[in-house]
Each structure stands twice: as C-alpha cells, then as structure tokens.
C-alpha cells in the first residue's frame, strides 16, 4: 500500500464554508458537519487526517476494529464483502462528497462490515470516531442531525434491497440504471457508470457474461447507448416500460 497520510489539516482563519481549501467547503456541507458550531468544527478539523490513495488500495478491512470514519474528497471507493467461499461481493460505491463507515459512530463494538477499496486516485479524510462521539454526547442537537442522515441512508438501502428481490436479471439491470438517472429525467439523458461493468454485475448478483448479455439486449433494442463508462438513455419512459 502506497497511501500517504498527512497528520493534521492546514491551518485556516475560520472554518466557515467560504474559507480554507475546497475540501473544507464540501466537508462543511455534509449533514454530519453542517450543524456543528464554528468552534466545534475547527476543533474537529485539527483531529482529521488526509489520506492520498492510489488505484486499488484498501482503506480498511472487513471485521477489523473501526476507529475512524471517512469523507471522500475526490475519487471513488468500492465497498465489498468476502462471502463464505472467499469470493468478493460488491455492495456499493462511494463518490466524492460523501461519508463511508459513519454508522460506526453508534456501533458497539465498532467493526468495519466490509472492505473499502479505492477505484481510482482518491483523497480521503479520516475522522476519529471518538472525537465525533464526544461532540454528539455534548450536543444532542448534533445527534439528531446525524440520526436524520442515517434515516435517509436506511431508506436508500431498502430501495437497494428492493432491486435485489427482482427475479429477472434484465429487470434488476433496468432498475439499477433508472436509479442512476437524475431525479425527474425524462428525455435523452447521459450518465456515468459508477463502477466497472464487472463490478456492477457483482453488485446485481449476476455473472459478468449475464450482465453483458442483458446490456447488449438493451442496446439492440435502442434503449441505451454505451461508450466506455458513459451510458446514454435516449428515452427514459421506454426504458421504464421495457422493465415492466
């Protein structure tokens, strides 16, 4: 592993969103940090470490003790578990502007539920769980904001589970693609696939050959156009109808 870790964060005059480096504004806007007072946010930032990761590096391992949660400044992480046979099962991916493993703040014992791997060069902020716990213990209103964030995540996870209950591989793929579209998209829309196609196949519990076959069927029916990691949906309504 060739990650570089920087202890401490560059000094800044005030931790409000218009000051400091670009990552500071992004962190400040996240629901887990947006309600913190200036003093509390400043104090927490002094405990944060920056981690620079290369492609395919592990940030943490499944079942190891969790002492930090993380914020993705740039790049993307893949979350996966090893099943009973040792095969990797992709669970999700985490993009810039979001946290990962933040549920460990309330976990007891706190142990990472999966592996987190960089999919490209990434910049990650490591936040000590104990430091954040001290803040929400002292300020119950911070805890309410955190719980609201977890509730929104839980709703999203239930939707993911709903996709996985669909029996047809074709319909699982269509539901997945529809979820990637911007809210309210109707006409010709382009999206970027968040994972390599082989990992999307794992995410949807299908073999790579099955994924390729189902994607080719959508392309042959004029429902999608694929160029590398870019995917264009000419008619969102037609794609929805094809999955019914």
């Amino acid at each position: 592993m060739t990650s570089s870790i920087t202890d401490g964060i560059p000094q800044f005059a005030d931790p409000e969103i218009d000051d400091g480096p670009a990552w500071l504004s992004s962190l400040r806007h996240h629901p887990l940090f947006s309600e913190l007072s200036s003093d509390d946010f400043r104090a927490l930032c002094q405990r944060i470490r920056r981690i620079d990761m290369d492609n395919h590096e592990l940030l943490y391992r499944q079942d190891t003790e969790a002492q930090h949660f993380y914020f993705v400044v740039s790049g993307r992480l893949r979350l996966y578990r090893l099943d009973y046979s040792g095969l990797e099962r992709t669970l999700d991916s985490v993009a810039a502007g979001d946290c990962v493993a933040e549920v460990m703040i309330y976990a007891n014992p706190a142990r990472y539920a999966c592996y987190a791997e960089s999919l490209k060069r990434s910049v990650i902020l490591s936040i000590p769980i104990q430091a954040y716990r001290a803040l929400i213990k002292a300020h119950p209103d911070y805890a309410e904001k955190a719980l609201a964030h977890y509730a929104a995540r839980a709703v999203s996870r239930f939707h993911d589970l709903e996709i996985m209950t669909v029996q047809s591989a074709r319909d699982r793929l269509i539901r997945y693609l529809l979820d990637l579209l911007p809210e309210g998209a109707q006409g010709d829309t382009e999206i970027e696939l968040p994972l390599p196609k082989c990992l999307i196949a794992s995410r949807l519990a299908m073999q790579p050959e099955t994924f390729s076959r189902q994607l080719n069927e959508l392309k042959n029916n004029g429902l999608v156009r694929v160029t590398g990691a870019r995917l264009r949906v000419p008619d969102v309504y037609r794609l929805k109808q094809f999955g019914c």
Side-chain angles (χ1 to χ4, degrees):
M1 183 169 179
T2 58
S3 299
S4 63
I5 299 176
T6 304
D7 289 317
I9 294 299
Q11 296 295 315
F12 43 84
D14 190 276
E16 295 304 322
I17 60 176
D18 293 330
D19 299 312
W23 59 260
L24 187 63
S25 174
S26 182
L27 182 70
R28 189 59 156 142
H29 276 97
H30 191 277
L32 291 181
F33 305 94
S34 61
E35 296 300 311
L36 302 186
S37 69
S38 294
D39 287 344
D40 286 339
F41 187 61
R42 180 187 296 110
L44 185 63
C45 280
Q46 301 309 315
R47 303 285 304 277
I48 290 174
R49 297 182 306 163
R50 167 177 165 154
I51 304 174
D52 295 303
M53 303 184 70
D54 287 330
N55 191 20
H56 297 304
E57 289 194 58
L58 284 179
L59 179 63
Y60 56 79
R61 295 175 179 273
Q62 180 179 322
D63 296 328
T64 57
E65 182 181 1
Q67 297 184 350
H68 302 83
F69 69 103
Y70 303 90
F71 179 82
V72 182
V73 176
S74 63
R76 183 176 288 273
L77 300 177
R78 173 174 75 113
L79 307 182
Y80 68 93
R81 283 182 62 87
L82 296 182
D83 66 15
Y84 67 92
S85 65
L87 292 177
E88 295 180 4
R89 301 295 183 185
T90 299
L91 304 175
D92 204 351
S93 66
V94 183
D98 209 350
C99 284
V100 61
E102 70 272 35
V103 72
M104 293 297 105
I105 293 168
Y106 285 103
N108 185 22
R111 303 187 71 83
Y112 295 119
C114 62
Y115 290 85
E117 173 197 35
S118 57
L119 288 175
K120 57 177 73 173
R121 292 180 63 87
S122 303
V123 176
I124 310 295
L125 300 181
S126 172
I127 303 111
I129 288 173
Q130 290 296 342
Y132 194 88
R133 280 179 180 168
L135 283 178
I136 60 178
K137 184 176 181 180
H139 302 279
D141 51 325
Y142 295 169
E144 288 185 11
K145 190 71 173 180
L147 290 173
H149 169 70
Y150 294 145
R153 277 291 178 87
V155 171
S156 175
R157 291 296 179 262
F158 277 120
H159 188 62
D160 291 344
L161 289 173
E162 181 187 4
I163 291 176
M164 296 310 297
T165 62
V166 176
Q167 294 298 314
S168 163
R170 184 192 71 181
D171 290 347
R172 287 202 302 277
L173 174 57
I174 290 174
R175 294 284 294 276
Y176 177 80
L177 296 179
L178 290 174
D179 267 5
L180 294 179
L181 296 174
E183 186 174 354
Q186 296 295 331
D188 192 356
T189 307
E190 185 175 88
I191 56 177
E192 182 175 357
L193 297 175
L195 293 165
K197 296 182 183 70
C198 61
L199 297 182
I200 295 177
S202 173
R203 170 76 174 77
L204 297 177
M206 63 179 76
Q207 295 299 318
E209 315 85 71
T210 304
F211 177 86
S212 296
R213 185 168 60 252
Q214 297 301 329
L215 189 61
N216 283 332
E217 181 182 357
L218 298 183
K219 289 193 291 186
N220 293 337
N221 281 277
L223 296 168
V224 299
R225 302 190 198 107
V226 183
T227 306
R230 306 295 299 179
L231 185 145
R232 181 174 292 278
V233 180
D235 189 327
V236 175
Y237 179 75
R238 278 194 65 216
L239 181 61
K240 288 179 180 178
Q241 291 300 106
F242 198 74
C244 291

